[in-house]
Amino acid sequence: MTKHLLLGQTLQFHANPLHDDWQNACTVDSAGGVLIEAGRITAAGSGADLRTAHPDGQNLITAGFVDAHMHYPQTAMIASWGKQLIDWLNTYTFPEESRFGDKAYADMIAGRTMDLALAHGTTTLTSFCTIHPTSVDAYFEAAATRNMAVVGGKTCMDRNAPDTLRDTAQSAYDDSKALLEKWHGRGRATYAITPRFSPTSTPDQLNALGSLWSEHPDCLMQTHLSEQHDEIAWVKSLFPTARDYLDTYESHGLLGARGLYGHAIHLEPREIDRLADVGAALVHCPTSNTFIGSGLFDTFGLAARHIRTGLATDTGGGSSFSMLRTMAAAYEIGQLRGTALHPSQLMWLATEGSAQALHMSGQIGHLGAGAMADIIVLDLASTPAIAQRNARATDIWDALFPTIMMGDDRAIADVWVAGKPTA
Ligand code: GUN
Ligand code: ZN
């Protein structure tokens, strides 16, 4: 049976204050609680006592989720069947991304993506846009309307993409510069210089974007790294003198502490050393890595090297908008690698870890004084299946874990963005 524990300041009457001294007739408990089951109050009293006795009845207030890598233009083609990375890009992704020169379409998908994110408890998105500047304006405008802290940038590609999706080294530099001057630091917006990945940028374009980053070092830089074996082999053939995949970024000024490298699954020892040396951030995209068939990110091995790691949906290579489902996939990948991530580690990755990757620690993804009030309330008994498991919980972690593994947008009871409820 579903239990709800309401915690807060409570007022209870034991007598009629018109007849008795009013002070003896009632109790005000500044930290009280009420347990509700099947429409009735089954216990009332000290919140602390009720919390200990009924770990399964509680909602959990936590920082909003921070998605550290996604592609908002891929929202409408999420869950497209049957392809691995390069074929998936050519078959599904590039045709869809070609539509974002149309501002009205970009506006519609940007708004839809933000609303889906909020419904799933994600209060910050970090997104690739498309090569079209309109797609960047649509993204930051939709976020501003909702007062969301977001990171994004124009995706740059000057080769190995359809004509409709190619810019040049110079136009990528010029457009990215104009967009970062327009958006970076405006309201809650952060600009990320965004070469898609080495196969779709010439060395000239990577150099141009490296120069732009050195001229604007407070911007972030986001790209993809070592996601699939075929991709890595392709990178080797396109950059025959590069020491490894990371070197294609490093030798063009695109390796740094404010760099975000998505996927980073099949890393070589030199790459791991360099990422650790410069303090770069990796982004784990677990539903994407299983959906597209990429491989198993080494969460614990990379954490042992103190490499900052965020967590992300990678929509639409990822198969869910939910950071709960994303945590579940991270858990499953951990199991396949032989180590179970604790619920606290999963929640940390989805909030603080992603915020740290974005260099926004203490501002977002954090439930503490000084942080922006981007907050969610998780219902830990949101479906009958979760509730019946939750009823067996022995402590709060055991009560939370079924929601991580089986929860979705139904588990998001409340979302606050910058101190205001969204619903
Ligand atoms: N590598 C280059 N582009 C993409 C993309 O859109 N999605 C994923 N998952 N990997 C990429
Ligand atoms: Zn991606």
Side-chain angles (χ1 to χ4, degrees), residues 221-409:
M221 193 289 302
Q222 61 178 346
T223 190
H224 297 87
L225 176 67
S226 295
E227 183 175 355
Q228 293 208 337
H229 292 298
D230 286 359
E231 171 209 14
I232 296 167
W234 192 23
V235 169
K236 286 209 165 99
S237 73
L238 290 168
F239 296 86
T241 59
R243 287 167 290 182
D244 44 45
Y245 195 154
L246 186 67
D247 197 29
T248 64
Y249 298 127
E250 185 172 1
S251 58
H252 298 98
L254 292 169
L255 176 63
R258 297 180 79 82
L260 298 157
Y261 303 85
H263 302 278
I265 300 167
H266 310 287
L267 297 176
E268 294 181 16
R270 191 203 81 89
E271 296 179 296
I272 296 173
D273 290 345
R274 290 298 294 140
L275 290 160
D277 287 349
V278 305
L282 305 182
V283 188
H284 183 16
C285 306
T287 70
S288 170
N289 295 344
T290 52
F291 181 77
I292 305 188
S294 303
L296 309 179
F297 182 84
D298 185 8
T299 307
F300 283 106
L302 293 160
R305 298 294 308 271
H306 293 273
I307 298 179
R308 288 176 299 123
T309 299
L311 189 68
T313 62
D314 192 32
T315 300
S319 53
S320 174
F321 295 99
S322 169
M323 289 294 280
L324 291 169
R325 173 72 198 105
T326 302
M327 283 184 253
Y331 178 81
E332 289 160 355
I333 287 175
Q335 287 286 63
L336 287 168
R337 292 197 72 110
T339 317
L341 281 116
H342 187 265
S344 66
Q345 294 170 325
L346 294 165
M347 288 294 288
W348 188 90
L349 283 169
T351 54
E352 304 268 358
S354 286
Q356 203 178 74
L358 300 175
H359 290 257
M360 295 182 192
S361 288
Q363 299 168 50
I364 58 169
H366 180 65
L367 202 70
M372 288 300 288
D374 295 342
I375 293 170
I376 59 172
V377 181
L378 291 178
D379 175 355
L380 300 186
S382 60
T383 67
I386 295 173
Q388 60 86 38
R389 166 63 181 82
N390 178 305
R392 295 274 180 93
T394 51
D395 62 19
I396 184 61
W397 300 114
D398 198 28
L400 172 60
F401 191 56
T403 287
I404 291 178
M405 293 309 299
M406 300 193 286
D408 53 29
D409 50 333

Side-chain angles (χ1 to χ4, degrees), residues 65-72 114 122-129 139-140 148-153 190-192 194 220-223 260 283 311-315 354-355 357-358 360 364:
F65 297 134
V66 177
D67 187 342
H69 176 125
M70 58 94 65
H71 301 253
Y72 95 81
M114 307 266 166
T122 300
T123 47
T124 288
L125 292 174
T126 310
S127 185
F128 287 61
C129 300
Y139 175 71
F140 284 122
M148 290 170 73
V150 295
V151 177
T190 297
Y191 196 86
T194 307
L220 296 169
M221 193 289 302
Q222 61 178 346
T223 190
L260 298 157
V283 188
L311 189 68
T313 62
D314 192 32
T315 300
S354 286
L358 300 175
M360 295 182 192
I364 58 169

Side-chain angles (χ1 to χ4, degrees), residues 158-193:
D158 67 344
R159 64 169 164 176
N160 294 319
D163 292 350
T164 46
L165 280 184
R166 276 206 311 270
D167 50 17
T168 65
Q170 190 62 47
S171 72
Y173 175 94
D174 293 341
D175 288 349
S176 301
K177 181 172 157 62
L179 287 162
L180 76 83
E181 283 169 354
K182 177 172 181 184
W183 288 109
H184 185 60
R186 180 161 156 188
R188 303 191 72 193
T190 297
Y191 196 86
I193 294 164

